[in-house]
């Protein structure tokens, strides 16, 4: 902390008295798009293919759920992740499956499919059926998979932020080398839980990476109408946490940044990453999205992470167009099968209402 | 009488009051540019400008408290919660500051503020988005709590709430925002806080229900009417203070009572109403007070389960028959 | 039997369980270096080190949620709130996450966690520091709520709470931390959650009281004994789930009941207990169920007022005489 | 925001790939002690005398209350401000009485006496009497004066932070040019309300100054055991808010800094000031203060703000020793009189319990 002595005029017309300044230099990392090749990242062609397939699966799954919502197969809210798939796929590729943990908010289908939850259990959950990943109790906003270490799916904005630090705390406590990634929206930054938790994470040196998925809007509120400081990666300064800014439309940039930050976490240094992205659809199904122009939307669609990866693959002759087309067919078939699966899965019977509330089997519920 | 949607009636109340009093402003998430998540405040930003209709970040604790500070310093805020589920992060401001500072300051600082938004179940939204909060707030002295069931009450009571110099928790309903109903066109129409409404007179049984539950009470009364029994239906409208006189008077006539309350049962408004009835009309009761509530579980997502979770008109009907010893 | 202070009994429960199970840790404000604001955790930091006994900043929402995340990922946290008054800023974590995530995840994630700390009035601390929260938490399915009145129950129930795989709200009392009482020295002494304790048998009236109110109930029973009446005194100990059988059985014998509850009255535990009694023992009641609670106001600072505010043994005694038609 | 391109080795043994950095320069103001003279600040000798008297009054009032607490005239908690008096006095001198507003936490006696609340009403409040500044309803932690625009006295850590922005909001809404100062402890920085509110204040350009009274401890927790970043003035970065660091043992430094920041606020720019100070007594009366050494305490007492001002006065021959002694006697007499006043003031009668809950006079309270 450099202290500089200088003389300056007081702002309010008081006598010209001397005061000093304290100068600090901050450095953040920046991961722009189109900077990393798959070989920079040490990814094989098979890896690239898997990434592409995974992003495509998320896209098609959600397009299909939108359709099913229209047919009233799905109730409640449905928040689509379309446009943001490079974040889920890119970041999950930085994790050790079966060891590391993820947790996110209610826009959770993408992350769920990225960590390997099946289309079937996800679609069945949307349909509210017993074979759903949450037994039909959670719905779109509450996908969970203990097996895949996907800790939800959370509907209260900001409420999962402390959970993530707790998950990381347990990793550290058990010394199992695991790390937790917590995804939050740009809108969630302004919940108190963000502030409290990032300080705790830094104080306790927890193995956690906080990822802000900045898709420019929280419902109808553009980032600059909610944030006094719109460079969200700077929030880490308050907690002595390293911060990075990442282009979220390039899956390789995401992957590289998350590898670096996950490595930091594994060494016991929590950090904050702002990934800039965009959601193509409305906030939820009922949102006409009047707060943005068509032009803005179209322009962003040009940066589409899936098309971008496709171009990259083709330009670099990694996979043939024909092979990609086959992938597309395969993914569509998987999604269609999940709709059939969901439709055939039974609705939970009334008695199920009392299941899953307590671990205690004979809890004496009030019945009148 | 004009026919208005519930959301329009609420808006009309805010607009009439804001036209009348410059000190009133509306603040909340998406209330301005977006015209309200449920379009309750549609057009208000255009009418009053961004000085008086104000969007917030997702910082419920912050803006609830900001509203309270503004009230301490002479303004009359209306704070909208997108739903009351999202007010749990702000509850400290409401129950520790709104409810208690007047007292702790020896009456120096008042809180002419309204916190409003939809309460209770709204369908397949799962457990965190379906909580009923009336009992939680009503137990705190210092607050007033209103829960409305129709456009006319909404308008008359919201105008009273805005004018009231005490903090008011005002509970609406997503499911009812589109519901239409006749609204008085009387100039400056207000309904006094703390007065129940006898929606239907009868002598066979008293059914009490607020907010959506009021409609279940009415439906059950219709079913009983087909059986030849006249149920008295009371909408308490205000939960704190509660209009005990109206309820006790009714129970002394009907000698039995069923309370409908879509909250979880334990320590609910229904519990309190039952306590008061047995305390104040013990000798008049021919049967124990019954209640019909949501199940004693979190709210599930699945359609089959959430329907079972909620109190139904049939449940109310059967409870009435039970206290009438007809089962 | 050993004579322990309440704080020692609570500490003994934590220590025995932490000795037994590495996955248990204690976290909260001033629990470690300072040995606890009320010295409940004295010596524990020294015993277990800073890995397992952890001080926090004043960030209740943050560390309550951190505890929940740790529980989801296999640990068994004990989270101390310096008092429950300070948990209102964390209530969203408890009622939306602790109570509901297990359900929303279809039972995949459990929360073997205890939130503990002193509840209720603690003298001349004014309104924000004297809230009773038992009803607030008990209404949420997914939680268990325990409120203890003496060292023996504290030890036996806290051990059960720590072992329980569901989230438990454990309510203590500043005023009682120094109170001494016999504590069982049975090895691995636990008391089942959900069982009331009949503290004194009698047939004249049932008096129900938890936490500090239990002692008011006992004092009133002593006063009645001088009048020649044997009151039955029940300490429910667990509020959720509540031991209805024990209470109903007692009321069926005594035919009258007074509930002591230092909460504000509206929608309190007392309301629920009264509801259940009139529903389940209607024909056995010779008088309406009465309750003695704190006044229906915020808690005042002045000595003269806070004494008047709290339920007294005399109040309980008079309420008993009233339901016994002796007044 | 300067973006620098450079090559660096990834932290986790990945191939050496290029990333960019974003560099930001931060500047804070610093107001050390012993830098400003009273004439720099345009203060007359009478002003200096008033400041001295005011600080002394706070000191003596609290020493006396500690005594009265020992005699059980006062109940509940009693948090003493002793050592921090330069902050209350220095900052209140930067305000326009009758226009500007103040609000603080539970350690509120100093601010109350600084804004001109009488010793009588303050002592009577401690005694829980009807003539107390809160009618005996609030006690030590809840001093209020609408007349002096003192908005409390608040016992829940962090809960008054949003109130302050609301008070400022009303100043702005009414365009009355008023400003609100909000005092918070170093411990309160880690409540979510701090984060939410500072963002709101900056977003809405509210006329508010947030003052962190960093007295090094929150109960037994030293700042560095609670704060991942111990330079608390840097918190403003997250909200694009100017920040300053001030020596809180020099009333002139405090006064100058607060004039500058209050002026900023009056122009619609909220800001954050960290004032470093020390509390000599325990957190409250029951705290033995074992978390700090005697040496530390003694050293801090050498910086005593009252002794320091006294030395300054004497060194600069502004007031004679004799005149200062007279002041001392006067202040002691005032405090003694307040004890008599408080003792003679009646206890609130039982009916008073139902007063002040609602403005509504006939609210139907439950009585059974
Ligand atoms: C505490 C709380 N407040 C408000 C809401 C309503 N709400 C749901 S999503 C949302 C916007 C969140 O935006 P952001 O964090 O940017 O995530 P995105 O939707 O862009 O993924 C709001 C206001 C909520 N669920 N929880
Ligand atoms: C929300 C909340 N949590 C905990 C407490 C208990 N508590 C009272 S004061 C205090 C320490 C505050 O320290 P600081 O903010 O530094 O202020 P100081 O006492 O140093 O003036 C704590 C933990 C409280 N009153 N409110
Ligand atoms: Mg967003
Ligand atoms: Mg401090």
């Amino acid at each position: 902390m450099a202290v500089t002595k200088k003389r300056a005029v007081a702002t309010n017309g008081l006598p010209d008295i001397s005061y000093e300044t304290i100068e600090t230099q901050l450095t953040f990392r920046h991961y722009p798009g189109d900077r990393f090749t798959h070989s920079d990242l040490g990814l094989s062609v098979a890896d690239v293919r898997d990434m592409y397939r995974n992003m495509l699966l998320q896209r098609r799954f959600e397009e299909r759920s939108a359709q099913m919502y229209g047919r009233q197969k799905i109730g409640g809210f449905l928040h689509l992740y379309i446009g943001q798939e490079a974040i889920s796929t890119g970041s999950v590729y930085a994790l050790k499956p079966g060891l590391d943990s993820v947790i996110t908010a209610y826009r959770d289908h993408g992350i769920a499919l990225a960590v390997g939850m099946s289309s079937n259990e996800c679609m069945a959950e949307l349909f509210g059926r017993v074979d759903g990943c949450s037994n039909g109790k959670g719905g779109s906003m509450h996908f969970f998979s203990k097996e895949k270490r996907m800790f939800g799916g959370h509907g209260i904005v900001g409420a999962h932020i402390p959970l993530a630090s707790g998950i990381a705390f347990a990793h550290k406590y058990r010394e199992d080398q695991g790390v937790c990634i917590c995804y939050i929206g740009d809108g969630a930054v302004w919940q108190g839980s963000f502030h409290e938790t990032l300080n705790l994470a830094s104080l306790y040196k927890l193995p956690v990476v906080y990822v802000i998925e900045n898709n420019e809007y929280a419902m109808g509120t553009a980032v600059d109408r909610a944030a006094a400081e719109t460079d969200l990666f700077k929030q880490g300064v308050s907690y002595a946490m390293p911060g990075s800014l990442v282009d979220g439309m390039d899956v390789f940039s995401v992957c590289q940044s998350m590898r670096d930050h996950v490595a930091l976490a594994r060494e016991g240094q929590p950090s904050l990453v702002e990934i800039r992205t965009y959601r193509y659809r409305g906030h939820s199904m009922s949102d006409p999205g009047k707060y943005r122009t068509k032009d803005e939307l179209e322009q962003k669609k040009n940066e589409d992470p899936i098309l971008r990866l496709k171009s990259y693959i083709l330009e670099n002759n990694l996979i043939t167009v024909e092979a990609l087309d086959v992938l597309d067919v395969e993914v569509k078939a998987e999604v269609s099968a999940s709709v059939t699966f969901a439709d055939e899965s039974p609705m939970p019977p009334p008695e199920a209402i009392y299941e899953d509330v307590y671990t205690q089997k004979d809890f004496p519920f009030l019945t009148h | 009488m004009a026919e208005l949607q519930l959301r329009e009636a609420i808006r009309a109340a805010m607009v009439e009051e804001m036209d009348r009093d410059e000190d009133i402003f509306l603040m909340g998430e998406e209330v301005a540019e977006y015209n309200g998540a449920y379009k309750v405040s549609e057009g208000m930003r255009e009418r009053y400008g961004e000085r008086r209709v104000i969007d917030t970040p997702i910082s419920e604790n912050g803006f609830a408290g900001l509203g309270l500070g503004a009230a301490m310093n002479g303004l009359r805020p209306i704070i909208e919660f997108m739903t009351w589920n999202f007010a749990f992060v702000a509850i400290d401001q409401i129950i520790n500051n709104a409810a208690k500072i007047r007292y702790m300051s020896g009456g120096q600082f008042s809180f002419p503020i309204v916190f409003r938004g939809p309460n209770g179940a709204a369908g397949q939204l799962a457990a965190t988005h379906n909580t009923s909060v009336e009992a939680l707030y009503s137990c705190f002295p210092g607050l007033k709590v209103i829960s409305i069931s129709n456009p006319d009450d909404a308008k008359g009571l919201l105008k009273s709430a805005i004018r009231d110099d005490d903090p008011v928790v005002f509970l609406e309903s997503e499911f009812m925002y589109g519901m239409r109903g006749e609204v008085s066109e009387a100039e400056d129409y207000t309904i006094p806080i703390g007065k129940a409404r006898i929606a239907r007179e009868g002598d066979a049984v008293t059914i009490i229900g607020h907010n959506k539950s009021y409609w279940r009470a009415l439906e059950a009364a219709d079913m009983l009417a087909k059986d030849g029994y006249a149920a008295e239906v009371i909408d308490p409208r205000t939960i704190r203070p509660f209009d005990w006189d109206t309820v006790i008077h009714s129970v002394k006539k009907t000698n039995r009572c069923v309370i409908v309350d879509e909250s979880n049962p334990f320590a609910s408004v229904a519990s309190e109403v039952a306590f008061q009835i047995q305390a104040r009309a013990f000798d008049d009761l021919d049967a124990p007070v019954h209640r019909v509530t949501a199940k004693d579980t979190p709210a599930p997502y699945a359609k089959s389960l959430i329907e079972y979770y909620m109190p139904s008109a049939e449940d109310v009907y059967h409870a009435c028959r039970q206290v009438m010893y007809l089962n």
Side-chain angles (χ1 to χ4, degrees), chain A, chain B:
Chain A
M1 168 165 122
V3 176
T4 318
K5 307 200 179 194
K6 57 173 164 176
R7 298 189 65 82
V9 181
T11 40
N12 57 349
L14 286 168
D16 170 22
I17 47 179
S18 64
Y19 61 88
E20 301 174 358
T21 60
I22 299 169
E23 314 278 341
T24 313
Q25 175 79 19
L26 301 177
T27 303
F28 306 93
R29 278 206 192 175
H30 186 203
Y31 297 84
D34 294 332
R35 170 140 321 235
F36 308 103
T37 65
H38 71 290
S39 41
D40 281 343
L41 273 70
L43 296 171
S44 69
V45 172
D47 291 333
V48 175
R49 181 188 169 285
D50 281 359
M51 281 179 148
Y52 179 77
R53 187 188 192 287
N54 189 253
M55 287 163 70
L56 202 62
L57 176 64
Q58 295 172 47
R59 180 74 53 97
R60 298 286 175 257
F61 178 92
E62 290 206 313
E63 285 166 353
R64 201 59 189 273
S65 4
Q67 210 180 45
M68 291 300 121
Y69 192 87
R71 293 197 201 148
Q72 298 183 330
K73 290 284 185 183
I74 299 171
F77 296 147
L78 186 74
H79 307 90
L80 301 183
Y81 195 66
I82 293 179
Q84 306 182 205
E85 297 92 341
I87 301 181
S88 49
T89 301
S91 57
V92 165
Y93 263 82
L95 293 180
K96 295 191 184 152
L99 171 63
D100 295 330
S101 312
V102 298
I103 186 169
T104 186
Y106 48 87
R107 198 178 296 286
D108 59 357
H109 313 155
I111 310 287
L113 293 169
V115 296
M117 290 169 65
S118 74
S119 308
N120 280 357
E121 63 184 322
C122 291
M123 192 62 82
E125 188 59 35
L126 295 180
F127 278 47
R129 304 304 170 94
V130 296
D131 295 304
C133 57
S134 304
N135 296 1
K137 295 253 170 68
S140 164
M141 301 194 285
H142 308 105
F143 281 12
F144 286 86
S145 171
K146 193 164 188 175
E147 189 198 329
K148 300 292 179 190
R149 303 193 61 80
M150 155 64 173
F151 286 76
H154 295 273
I156 300 295
V157 170
H160 68 297
I161 299 177
L163 298 181
S165 275
I167 294 162
F169 180 92
H171 279 304
K172 179 175 175 170
Y173 191 91
R174 273 200 306 266
E175 299 176 13
D176 65 11
Q177 308 303 318
V179 159
C180 179
I181 297 186
C182 178
Y183 305 87
I184 71 170
D186 46 281
V189 170
W190 306 114
Q191 280 290 15
S193 58
F194 175 87
H195 177 67
E196 297 189 15
T197 306
L198 268 69
N199 182 54
L200 288 169
S202 186
L203 205 56
Y204 299 151
K205 298 274 166 230
L206 301 180
V208 61
V209 183
Y210 281 98
V211 174
I212 302 171
E213 298 193 67
N214 180 351
N215 61 9
E216 300 195 19
Y217 294 92
M219 292 193 74
T221 306
V223 168
D224 66 355
R225 296 206 304 118
E229 167 58 68
T230 52
D231 279 341
L232 301 177
F233 57 91
K234 291 188 183 157
Q235 296 287 323
V237 174
S238 293
Y239 322 107
M241 250 190 205
S244 290
L245 175 65
V246 181
D247 181 340
M249 298 317 231
D250 183 335
V251 70
F252 296 145
S253 301
V254 171
C255 186
Q256 181 58 40
S257 67
M258 293 310 295
R259 281 181 176 176
D260 293 347
H261 281 268
V262 164
L264 272 182
R266 249 187 262 285
E267 290 159 15
Q269 176 59 61
S271 60
L272 180 66
V273 184
E274 177 187 353
I275 308 190
R276 297 219 171 131
T277 179
Y278 201 78
R279 76 165 147 69
Y280 296 171
R281 301 298 183 103
H283 168 70
S284 65
M285 297 305 287
S286 63
D287 168 25
K290 289 188 193 156
Y291 41 83
R292 59 186 179 185
T293 62
K294 270 205 171 143
D295 273 6
E296 175 181 310
L297 179 58
E298 287 315 313
Q299 194 192 314
K300 294 291 180 175
K301 281 191 178 170
N302 290 337
E303 298 176 37
D304 188 87
I306 299 181
L307 293 182
R308 185 177 194 146
L309 183 56
K310 187 172 186 176
S311 309
Y312 178 91
I313 289 172
L314 296 177
E315 275 165 25
N316 292 280
N317 296 315
L318 304 184
I319 311 174
T320 63
V321 191
E322 294 71 28
L324 290 182
D325 286 348
V326 171
L327 260 187
D328 206 2
V329 171
E330 198 182 298
V331 162
K332 272 192 188 133
E334 177 178 335
V335 170
S336 287
S338 78
V339 169
T340 313
F341 175 84
D343 230 358
E344 288 170 358
S345 173
M347 303 240 194
E351 329 63 280
I353 204 157
Y354 292 109
E355 291 163 12
D356 305 325
V357 184
Y358 294 96
T359 56
Q360 182 185 340
K361 287 292 161 249
D362 59 350
F363 186 89
F365 293 97
L366 288 180
T367 49
H368 66 280
Chain B
M1 301 285 260
E3 208 193 60
L4 295 182
Q5 287 185 351
L6 182 72
R7 62 163 61 80
E8 292 165 342
I10 293 169
R11 186 189 313 141
M14 292 195 285
V15 165
E16 284 183 23
E17 293 304 299
M18 285 179 72
D19 280 352
R20 196 183 49 76
D21 185 346
E22 260 284 315
D23 286 343
I24 303 168
F25 67 92
L26 172 67
M27 177 175 268
E29 289 159 16
E30 308 293 350
V31 297
E33 277 205 3
Y34 199 79
N35 282 306
Y38 298 100
K39 303 296 167 223
V40 172
S41 55
E42 186 146 37
M44 289 180 65
R45 159 76 178 260
E46 212 178 323
R47 187 180 183 106
Y48 298 107
E50 62 179 18
R51 174 170 170 266
R52 296 184 68 195
V53 180
I54 304 157
D55 279 328
T56 66
I58 310 171
S59 307
E60 285 86 358
N61 188 60
F63 68 76
L66 192 155
L68 290 169
M72 285 181 93
N73 198 4
L75 301 185
R76 307 185 74 86
I78 305 172
I79 302 293
E80 177 176 308
F81 291 119
M82 196 176 284
T83 83
W84 277 93
N85 300 289
F86 312 145
F88 288 124
V89 289
I91 205 170
D92 178 64
Q93 287 297 325
I94 304 175
I95 67 194
N96 271 327
N97 285 349
K100 295 172 182 164
I101 289 178
R102 175 166 223 282
Y103 200 63
M104 294 192 299
S105 73
Q108 290 180 81
F109 291 96
S110 307
F111 292 89
I113 190 169
V114 177
F115 293 103
R116 46 159 291 273
N119 175 47
Q124 288 188 262
L125 298 176
T128 54
H129 283 57
N130 274 314
T131 316
S132 293
V133 300
E134 46 272 60
L136 289 182
Y137 290 103
S138 297
C139 63
F140 286 99
L143 301 178
K144 296 181 178 177
V145 178
I146 295 170
S147 180
I148 49 82
S149 69
N150 65 78
D152 189 64
D153 286 348
K155 183 169 179 202
L157 278 162
L158 183 52
K159 280 172 64 84
S160 295
I162 294 170
R163 290 181 192 192
D164 201 282
D165 285 332
D166 294 313
V168 178
V169 164
F170 196 88
L171 305 172
E172 307 164 2
S173 157
E174 278 113 307
F175 269 175
M176 295 196 300
Y177 278 139
M179 173 197 278
R180 302 183 157 278
E182 297 294 323
V183 176
S184 165
E185 289 186 292
E187 210 184 283
D188 214 13
Y189 178 63
T190 60
I191 296 173
I193 293 174
K195 291 280 166 259
R197 181 171 56 89
I198 303 178
R200 188 177 296 184
E201 293 194 24
D203 54 12
V205 58
T206 301
I207 317 180
I208 302 171
H210 63 275
N211 201 279
K212 291 200 282 303
S213 299
Y214 163 71
W215 298 99
R216 299 300 88 72
L218 265 194
E219 288 156 23
D222 285 343
M223 294 161 80
L224 288 166
K226 286 198 190 120
D227 296 349
Y229 301 102
E232 180 140 310
V233 177
I234 298 179
D235 179 350
R237 305 196 290 197
T238 305
I239 310 294
R240 183 182 183 86
F242 200 95
D243 183 353
W244 301 116
D245 287 350
T246 298
V247 164
I248 300 301
H249 189 261
S250 174
V251 173
K252 288 197 168 166
K253 178 174 63 172
T254 62
N255 311 114
R256 47 201 100 226
C257 180
V258 169
I259 306 156
V260 198
D261 181 349
E262 66 165 87
S263 310
N264 288 124
F266 196 101
S268 58
V269 171
S271 322
E272 182 64 26
V273 174
F275 170 83
Q276 296 290 345
I277 291 173
Q278 65 89 41
R280 301 184 193 212
F282 186 74
D283 293 330
D284 299 289
L285 277 179
D286 286 348
V289 179
H290 267 241
R291 69 181 174 194
V292 180
T293 67
K295 297 286 177 289
D296 189 21
T297 71
Y301 165 74
K303 196 160 194 282
S304 56
L305 293 180
I306 185 75
E307 279 167 5
Y308 178 62
Y309 175 81
M310 296 294 292
S312 71
E314 286 70 31
D315 296 337
V316 181
Y317 168 73
H318 290 298
C320 289
R321 291 188 57 100
Q322 197 164 335
V323 297
M324 292 160 74
Y325 300 111
L326 297 171
N327 287 355

